[in-house]
Amino acid sequence: MAENAALVEIDGLRVRFPGAARDAIRDLALSILPGECVAVIGPSGSGKSTLALALVGAIPNLINAESTGTIRWLNAATQPPVTAGSGLAALVMQDADAQLATLTVEDEVAFALENRDFPANEIEQRIDEALASAPAHGLQRRESTLMLSAGWRQRLALASALAERPALLVIDEPTAHLDEQGAQAAIAAIRAAKAQGSACLLVEHRADLAASIADRIVALDATGTIIAEGSPDKALQDLAARPDASSLRLP
């Protein structure tokens, strides 16, 4: 791959859900470089989660929505319609209950790895590594996922995604159900994933947390249109000068 070549390129993306009066996101263009962390911020309803779901192919292949534009993975021999679980991308949804699939902690971490036919010894090693990572530290292998709090389920979902070592980690509101200690653990986990070479698309309401980890911030307005993009300092300065800045949680 050439230097500075994008890992994934989004061009002209537009998404509208059935019965909606307007597009959730429109004419969106975005590229993510290998190892880069891009934080997407914006008010509720600005299309941040829609972008995350479209990026991994859940929209329109698993979720009913009209979608136009292109998403190209430039280092992939083929363009799988759904990239989550392919090694290209791993998705952590805001609602962890919507993606946890098994009854124990160790089975949850192993789930995607088993589906990708990893050797048993490597799966065991990755379970150990995931449970020693910042978000999952304190979880036990045989703990029931049904007995975990919302915050711990979110931590487990993040640890399971990290175990896949994806080229791109797509995380939707990783701190939504976490206290400050848990939020800092989630940020530490993203840093660890970057250190391993993963890029990251981080959807986050808290601009202060986004700025602490992101290489670049992309801000959407209420119509799903990019209104600011650049380094954290530049993007936040541009946003602070806007009359609608009160709808964002700026530091």
Side-chain angles (χ1 to χ4, degrees):
M1 180 181 293
E3 186 179 359
N4 295 327
L7 171 67
V8 59
E9 284 188 349
I10 303 170
D11 186 30
L13 181 64
R14 181 185 69 85
V15 177
R16 180 175 293 198
F17 293 101
R22 64 170 181 85
D23 297 336
I25 50 178
R26 61 182 184 185
D27 298 329
L28 189 144
L30 178 67
S31 62
I32 302 174
L33 300 176
E36 182 184 28
C37 182
V38 176
V40 179
I41 64 173
S44 296
S46 60
K48 302 185 300 297
S49 296
T50 300
L51 171 60
L53 291 169
L55 181 55
V56 300
I59 293 175
N61 296 290
L62 303 176
I63 297 171
N64 185 23
E66 178 188 339
S67 176
T68 59
T70 60
I71 298 175
R72 294 185 61 239
W73 295 83
L74 300 187
N75 65 342
T78 61
Q79 300 287 318
V82 179
T83 55
S86 68
L88 287 176
L91 172 66
V92 180
M93 300 170 66
Q94 181 178 356
D95 180 7
D97 289 344
Q99 74 179 88
L100 295 186
T102 66
L103 296 179
T104 66
V105 166
E106 66 177 354
D107 287 344
E108 189 63 36
V109 177
F111 184 74
L113 305 176
E114 289 173 341
N115 279 290
R116 291 173 57 194
D117 202 26
F118 276 69
N121 61 338
E122 184 168 355
I123 291 175
E124 288 297 308
Q125 178 183 346
R126 292 202 185 193
I127 292 173
D128 287 339
E129 292 175 356
L131 297 186
S133 67
H137 188 67
L139 287 173
Q140 303 300 316
R141 275 176 169 257
R142 299 304 300 168
E143 275 189 274
S144 168
T145 55
L146 299 177
M147 300 301 292
L148 297 176
S149 68
W152 276 111
R153 288 195 293 272
Q154 196 166 32
R155 286 178 176 228
L156 175 58
L158 180 54
S160 299
L162 291 171
E164 294 188 60
R165 301 175 189 170
L168 177 67
L169 187 61
V170 181
I171 315 176
D172 189 358
E173 299 275 4
T175 66
H177 303 292
L178 302 179
D179 58 17
E180 191 61 29
Q181 181 180 3
Q184 293 303 323
I187 295 301
I190 296 170
R191 285 198 178 94
K194 285 186 63 180
Q196 292 176 350
S198 291
C200 178
L201 180 83
L202 170 65
V203 171
E204 181 55 65
H205 266 296
R206 290 182 54 180
D208 57 336
L209 283 177
S212 72
I213 184 65
D215 300 301
R216 180 160 43 111
I217 286 180
V218 174
L220 305 179
D221 67 8
T223 69
T225 302
I226 294 177
I227 56 172
E229 180 176 0
S231 69
D233 286 345
K234 180 181 184 302
L236 295 181
Q237 286 173 1
D238 290 346
L239 289 170
R242 294 179 60 91
D244 54 356
S246 60
S247 64
L248 299 170
R249 295 179 60 180
L250 300 179

